[in-house]
Amino acid sequence: MLGDPTAECDGEVIVMALEFLESLGITDVRIDLGNVSYMHALFGSLGLRDEELALVNRAR
């Protein structure tokens, strides 16, 4: 099996994909996650303050 089944690993793959696109000059990128619980787990693991989390939620 390749990879790691954690949300942190998924987040790393997303960041790597974004960095790759940026290296190609593609900077106008939007990520739509299909599962809200995944999004909550990912942002929850970042330790954001309530004000920062409100900004993330407002950007959707």
Side-chain angles (χ1 to χ4, degrees):
M1 183 166 124
L2 179 66
D4 182 335
T6 63
E8 290 84 8
C9 184
D10 292 340
E12 287 181 29
V13 171
I14 292 169
V15 169
M16 286 175 35
L18 287 171
E19 289 174 346
F20 173 71
L21 292 172
E22 286 178 351
S23 76
L24 297 175
I26 302 169
T27 58
D28 187 19
V29 178
R30 176 182 167 165
I31 298 175
D32 291 320
L33 300 175
N35 187 326
V36 172
S37 62
Y38 172 76
M39 183 195 75
H40 289 291
L42 183 62
F43 288 128
S45 70
L46 295 176
L48 299 174
R49 295 187 320 253
D50 289 340
E51 303 83 31
E52 294 168 321
L53 191 54
L55 288 172
V56 170
N57 287 326
R58 186 175 56 184
R60 292 187 279 138

